[in-house]
Amino acid sequence: MINLSFYKLFIIIALTLLLSACGSPALDDYSDVSYELTDQNGETVIFPDDYQGSPLVMGFIYTNCPDICSFITANVGKVYEEMDNPGDTKFVLVTFDPERDTPDVLKSYAQAFDMDHEPFQFLTGDPETIDDFMKRVSVRTQESYSRDLDDGDRMYFLNHSDKILLINENSELIFDYGGSMTPVNIIIEDLQKLL
């Protein structure tokens, strides 16, 4: 026969452990990494150090994408536009195609979306750094089609993760959204909790 007071103590301990495990909202913590990236103006940016102290809305794209990257980019822009007061939130899009997405290409892409101004940044980097960064944020890519062109260039398309991240001021990942399909109002509601 189980001692009733032992049983109660066991339940209290189990509930305490369960509640303490649920108390941390972070899905990941990026404060232990450092990536040197380049923005659309050719300026060096260190992730996450340069974003410490501010919430961050971060999407992942490539400029030759024939479909969802434009929706991801537009959604990041809409979060900013539709917020009453975004405060010091930063809005960042990172390419996973650094071979083609140079700072100049990203600048033109940002201009096409009227996002070539603060608080938006479009980031690229050397291929090895971008590859490591994408692994860290769980963005997967795979070449889906390629063709050699007459001028010697190669055209290719990528299958890739559809993702927007919400990162808090302590470089902790709080939410991971389907970038092209999550309603903007949901991202805004979650972001307002961090401001």
Side-chain angles (χ1 to χ4, degrees), residues 37-45 51 93 102-104 106-107 118 120-125:
L37 304 168
T38 305
D39 73 9
Q40 74 271 23
N41 299 312
E43 301 292 325
T44 298
V45 175
Y51 302 103
L93 288 130
T102 63
D104 287 342
L106 289 175
K107 189 171 187 71
E118 289 291 333
F120 301 107
Q121 277 187 312
F122 289 74
L123 302 178
T124 189

Side-chain angles (χ1 to χ4, degrees), residues 81-154:
E81 290 169 9
E82 295 181 17
M83 284 194 72
D84 291 333
N85 180 14
D88 62 349
T89 303
K90 307 296 182 198
F91 297 85
V92 174
L93 288 130
V94 186
T95 182
F96 40 78
D97 186 15
E99 301 279 348
R100 294 183 291 184
D101 289 342
T102 63
D104 287 342
V105 169
L106 289 175
K107 189 171 187 71
S108 295
Y109 184 82
Q111 288 168 343
F113 284 88
D114 193 27
M115 293 168 68
D116 186 33
H117 55 82
E118 289 291 333
F120 301 107
Q121 277 187 312
F122 289 74
L123 302 178
T124 189
D126 68 76
E128 185 178 321
T129 300
I130 290 294
D131 186 53
D132 287 347
F133 184 59
M134 293 304 152
K135 286 177 184 167
R136 186 65 174 86
V137 295
S138 299
V139 170
R140 293 191 175 106
T141 63
Q142 180 180 13
E143 196 171 291
S144 60
Y145 173 83
S146 69
R147 190 177 93 199
D148 291 327
L149 303 176
D150 292 338
D151 63 5
D153 285 342
R154 189 170 70 90

Side-chain angles (χ1 to χ4, degrees), residues 55-57 75-91 119-120 166 184-195:
L56 176 62
V57 177
N75 281 347
V76 169
K78 285 179 189 174
V79 171
Y80 172 72
E81 290 169 9
E82 295 181 17
M83 284 194 72
D84 291 333
N85 180 14
D88 62 349
T89 303
K90 307 296 182 198
F91 297 85
F120 301 107
L166 180 57
V184 169
N185 63 305
I186 291 175
I187 301 173
I188 291 171
E189 186 178 307
D190 292 336
L191 176 55
Q192 285 173 331
K193 295 172 189 172
L194 302 182
L195 297 175

